[in-house]
Coordinates of all heavy atoms in Angstrom, one line a residue:
P29 N -33.5 34.7 -22.4 CA -32.9 34.2 -21.1 C -31.6 33.4 -21.3 O -30.9 33.2 -20.4 CB -34.0 33.3 -20.6 CG -35.3 33.8 -21.2 CD -34.8 34.3 -22.6
S30 N -31.3 32.9 -22.6 CA -30.2 32.1 -22.8 C -28.9 32.9 -22.9 O -27.8 32.4 -23.1 CB -30.4 31.3 -24.1 OG -30.5 32.1 -25.2
S31 N -29.0 34.2 -22.8 CA -27.8 35.1 -23.0 C -27.5 35.9 -21.8 O -28.4 36.3 -21.0 CB -28.1 36.1 -24.2 OG -28.3 35.4 -25.4
H32 N -26.2 36.1 -21.5 CA -25.8 36.9 -20.5 C -25.9 38.4 -20.9 O -26.1 38.7 -22.1 CB -24.3 36.6 -20.2 CG -24.1 35.3 -19.4 ND1 -24.7 35.1 -18.2 CD2 -23.4 34.2 -19.8 CE1 -24.3 33.9 -17.8 NE2 -23.5 33.3 -18.7
P33 N -25.9 39.3 -19.9 CA -26.0 40.7 -20.3 C -24.9 41.2 -21.3 O -25.0 42.1 -22.0 CB -25.8 41.5 -19.0 CG -26.3 40.5 -17.9 CD -25.9 39.1 -18.5
T34 N -23.8 40.4 -21.3 CA -22.7 40.8 -22.2 C -23.0 40.4 -23.6 O -22.3 40.7 -24.6 CB -21.4 40.1 -21.8 OG1 -21.6 38.7 -21.8 CG2 -21.0 40.6 -20.4
G35 N -24.1 39.6 -23.8 CA -24.4 39.1 -25.2 C -23.8 37.8 -25.5 O -24.1 37.2 -26.5
Q36 N -23.0 37.2 -24.5 CA -22.4 35.9 -24.7 C -23.4 34.8 -24.3 O -24.3 35.0 -23.5 CB -21.2 35.8 -23.9 CG -20.1 36.8 -24.3 CD -19.7 36.6 -25.7 OE1 -19.5 35.5 -26.2 NE2 -19.5 37.7 -26.4
P37 N -23.4 33.7 -25.0 CA -24.3 32.6 -24.7 C -24.0 32.1 -23.3 O -22.9 32.1 -22.8 CB -24.0 31.5 -25.7 CG -22.6 31.8 -26.2 CD -22.5 33.3 -26.1
A38 N -25.1 31.6 -22.6 CA -24.9 31.0 -21.3 C -24.1 29.8 -21.3 O -24.0 29.1 -22.4 CB -26.3 30.7 -20.7
P39 N -23.4 29.4 -20.2 CA -22.6 28.2 -20.2 C -23.4 27.0 -20.6 O -24.6 26.8 -20.2 CB -22.2 28.1 -18.7 CG -22.3 29.5 -18.2 CD -23.4 30.1 -18.9
G40 N -22.8 26.1 -21.4 CA -23.5 24.9 -21.9 C -24.3 25.1 -23.2 O -24.8 24.2 -23.7
R41 N -24.3 26.3 -23.6 CA -25.1 26.6 -24.9 C -24.2 27.2 -25.9 O -23.3 28.0 -25.6 CB -26.3 27.5 -24.6 CG -27.3 26.9 -23.7 CD -28.6 27.7 -23.8 NE -29.1 27.8 -25.2 CZ -30.3 27.9 -25.5 NH1 -31.3 27.8 -24.6 NH2 -30.7 28.0 -26.8
H42 N -24.4 26.8 -27.2 CA -23.6 27.3 -28.2 C -24.1 28.7 -28.7 O -25.4 28.9 -28.7 CB -23.5 26.4 -29.4 CG -22.8 25.1 -29.1 ND1 -21.4 25.0 -28.8 CD2 -23.3 23.8 -28.9 CE1 -21.1 23.7 -28.6 NE2 -22.2 23.0 -28.6
K43 N -23.3 29.6 -29.1 CA -23.7 30.8 -29.7 C -24.5 30.6 -30.9 O -24.1 29.8 -31.8 CB -22.5 31.7 -29.9 CG -22.8 33.0 -30.7 CD -21.6 33.8 -31.0 CE -21.9 35.0 -31.8 NZ -22.3 34.7 -33.2
T44 N -25.6 31.3 -31.1 CA -26.4 31.3 -32.3 C -25.6 31.9 -33.4 O -25.1 33.0 -33.3 CB -27.7 32.0 -32.2 OG1 -28.5 31.3 -31.2 CG2 -28.5 32.0 -33.5
K45 N -25.4 31.2 -34.5 CA -24.6 31.7 -35.6 C -25.4 32.5 -36.6 O -26.6 32.2 -36.8 CB -23.9 30.5 -36.4 CG -23.1 29.6 -35.5 CD -21.9 30.3 -35.0 CE -21.0 29.3 -34.2 NZ -19.8 30.0 -33.7
T46 N -24.8 33.5 -37.1 CA -25.6 34.4 -38.0 C -25.1 34.2 -39.5 O -23.9 34.3 -39.8 CB -25.3 35.9 -37.6 OG1 -25.8 36.1 -36.3 CG2 -26.0 36.9 -38.6
I47 N -26.0 34.0 -40.4 CA -25.7 33.7 -41.8 C -26.5 34.7 -42.6 O -27.7 34.9 -42.4 CB -26.2 32.3 -42.2 CG1 -25.4 31.3 -41.3 CG2 -25.9 32.0 -43.6 CD1 -26.0 29.8 -41.5
V48 N -25.8 35.3 -43.6 CA -26.4 36.2 -44.6 C -26.5 35.4 -45.9 O -25.5 35.0 -46.4 CB -25.7 37.5 -44.7 CG1 -26.3 38.3 -45.9 CG2 -25.8 38.4 -43.5
L49 N -27.7 35.2 -46.3 CA -28.0 34.5 -47.6 C -28.2 35.5 -48.7 O -29.1 36.3 -48.5 CB -29.1 33.5 -47.4 CG -29.7 32.8 -48.6 CD1 -28.7 31.9 -49.2 CD2 -31.0 32.0 -48.2
F50 N -27.5 35.4 -49.8 CA -27.8 36.3 -50.9 C -27.6 35.6 -52.2 O -27.1 34.5 -52.3 CB -26.8 37.5 -50.8 CG -25.4 37.2 -51.1 CD1 -24.8 37.5 -52.4 CD2 -24.6 36.6 -50.2 CE1 -23.5 37.2 -52.6 CE2 -23.2 36.3 -50.4 CZ -22.7 36.6 -51.6
G51 N -28.1 36.2 -53.3 CA -28.1 35.6 -54.6 C -29.3 36.2 -55.4 O -30.1 37.0 -54.9
E52 N -29.3 35.9 -56.7 CA -30.3 36.5 -57.6 C -31.7 35.9 -57.3 O -31.8 34.8 -56.7 CB -30.0 36.2 -59.0 CG -28.7 36.9 -59.5 CD -28.4 36.5 -61.0 OE1 -29.3 36.9 -61.8 OE2 -27.4 35.9 -61.3
T53 N -32.7 36.7 -57.6 CA -34.1 36.2 -57.5 C -34.2 34.9 -58.4 O -33.8 35.0 -59.6 CB -35.1 37.2 -57.9 OG1 -35.0 38.4 -57.1 CG2 -36.5 36.7 -57.9
G54 N -34.8 33.9 -57.9 CA -34.9 32.7 -58.7 C -33.8 31.7 -58.5 O -33.9 30.6 -59.1
A55 N -32.8 32.0 -57.7 CA -31.7 31.1 -57.5 C -32.1 30.0 -56.5 O -31.4 28.9 -56.5 CB -30.5 31.9 -56.9
G56 N -33.2 30.2 -55.8 CA -33.7 29.1 -54.9 C -33.3 29.4 -53.4 O -33.2 28.4 -52.7
K57 N -33.2 30.6 -53.0 CA -32.8 31.0 -51.7 C -33.9 30.5 -50.7 O -33.5 29.9 -49.6 CB -32.6 32.5 -51.5 CG -31.5 33.1 -52.4 CD -31.1 34.5 -51.9 CE -32.3 35.5 -52.1 NZ -32.7 35.6 -53.5
S58 N -35.1 30.7 -50.9 CA -36.2 30.2 -50.0 C -36.2 28.7 -49.9 O -36.3 28.2 -48.8 CB -37.5 30.7 -50.4 OG -37.6 32.2 -50.4
S59 N -36.0 28.0 -51.0 CA -36.0 26.6 -51.0 C -34.8 26.1 -50.3 O -34.8 25.0 -49.6 CB -36.0 26.0 -52.4 OG -37.2 26.3 -53.1
L60 N -33.7 26.8 -50.4 CA -32.4 26.5 -49.6 C -32.7 26.6 -48.1 O -32.2 25.7 -47.3 CB -31.3 27.4 -50.1 CG -29.9 27.1 -49.4 CD1 -29.4 25.7 -49.6 CD2 -28.9 28.2 -50.0
V61 N -33.4 27.6 -47.7 CA -33.7 27.8 -46.3 C -34.5 26.6 -45.8 O -34.2 26.0 -44.7 CB -34.5 29.1 -46.0 CG1 -35.1 29.1 -44.6 CG2 -33.6 30.3 -46.3
N62 N -35.5 26.2 -46.6 CA -36.3 25.0 -46.2 C -35.5 23.7 -46.2 O -35.8 22.9 -45.3 CB -37.5 24.9 -47.2 CG -38.5 26.0 -47.1 OD1 -38.6 26.7 -46.0 ND2 -39.2 26.3 -48.1
L63 N -34.6 23.6 -47.1 CA -33.8 22.4 -47.1 C -32.9 22.3 -45.8 O -32.9 21.3 -45.2 CB -32.8 22.5 -48.3 CG -31.8 21.3 -48.5 CD1 -32.5 20.0 -48.8 CD2 -30.8 21.7 -49.6
M64 N -32.3 23.4 -45.4 CA -31.5 23.4 -44.2 C -32.4 23.2 -43.0 O -32.0 22.5 -42.1 CB -30.8 24.8 -44.1 CG -29.6 25.0 -45.0 SD -28.6 26.4 -44.6 CE -29.8 27.8 -45.0
A65 N -33.6 23.8 -43.0 CA -34.5 23.7 -41.8 C -35.1 22.3 -41.7 O -35.4 21.9 -40.5 CB -35.6 24.7 -41.9
G66 N -35.2 21.6 -42.8 CA -35.9 20.3 -42.7 C -37.4 20.4 -42.7 O -38.1 19.4 -42.4
K67 N -37.9 21.6 -43.0 CA -39.4 21.8 -43.0 C -39.6 23.1 -43.7 O -38.7 23.9 -44.0 CB -39.9 21.9 -41.6 CG -39.3 23.0 -40.7 CD -39.8 22.9 -39.3 CE -39.1 24.0 -38.4 NZ -39.6 23.9 -37.0
E68 N -40.9 23.4 -44.0 CA -41.3 24.6 -44.7 C -41.3 25.8 -43.8 O -42.3 25.9 -43.0 CB -42.6 24.4 -45.4 CG -42.6 23.3 -46.5 CD -42.3 23.9 -47.9 OE1 -42.5 25.1 -48.1 OE2 -41.9 23.1 -48.7
V69 N -40.3 26.6 -43.8 CA -40.4 27.8 -43.0 C -40.3 29.1 -43.9 O -40.7 30.2 -43.4 CB -39.2 27.9 -42.0 CG1 -39.3 26.8 -41.0 CG2 -37.8 27.8 -42.8
A70 N -39.9 28.9 -45.1 CA -39.9 30.1 -46.1 C -40.8 29.8 -47.2 O -40.9 28.7 -47.8 CB -38.4 30.2 -46.6
Y71 N -41.5 30.9 -47.6 CA -42.4 30.8 -48.7 C -41.7 30.8 -50.0 O -40.8 31.6 -50.2 CB -43.4 32.0 -48.7 CG -44.3 32.1 -49.9 CD1 -45.3 31.2 -50.1 CD2 -44.0 33.1 -50.9 CE1 -46.2 31.3 -51.2 CE2 -44.8 33.2 -52.0 CZ -45.9 32.3 -52.2 OH -46.7 32.4 -53.3
T72 N -42.0 29.9 -50.9 CA -41.4 29.8 -52.2 C -42.4 30.2 -53.3 O -43.5 29.7 -53.2 CB -40.8 28.4 -52.5 OG1 -41.9 27.4 -52.4 CG2 -39.7 28.0 -51.5
S73 N -41.9 30.9 -54.3 CA -42.8 31.4 -55.3 C -42.3 31.0 -56.7 O -41.2 31.4 -57.1 CB -42.9 33.0 -55.3 OG -43.7 33.4 -56.3
P74 N -43.1 30.2 -57.4 CA -42.6 29.7 -58.7 C -42.5 30.8 -59.8 O -41.8 30.7 -60.8 CB -43.6 28.6 -59.1 CG -44.9 29.0 -58.3 CD -44.4 29.6 -57.1
D75 N -43.3 31.9 -59.6 CA -43.3 32.9 -60.6 C -42.1 33.9 -60.4 O -41.9 34.8 -61.3 CB -44.6 33.7 -60.6 CG -44.9 34.4 -59.3 OD1 -44.0 34.4 -58.4 OD2 -46.1 34.8 -59.1

């Protein structure tokens, strides 16, 4: 509902930004997501 049919954000709302996160396995991408989010949203695997 926050978007117009043109795909533009409704007045008063900022457009959701799209980020592509990449890097080697073990670089800490999932932990980086959690750091940005301020909570656990991505599963991290120590192995």
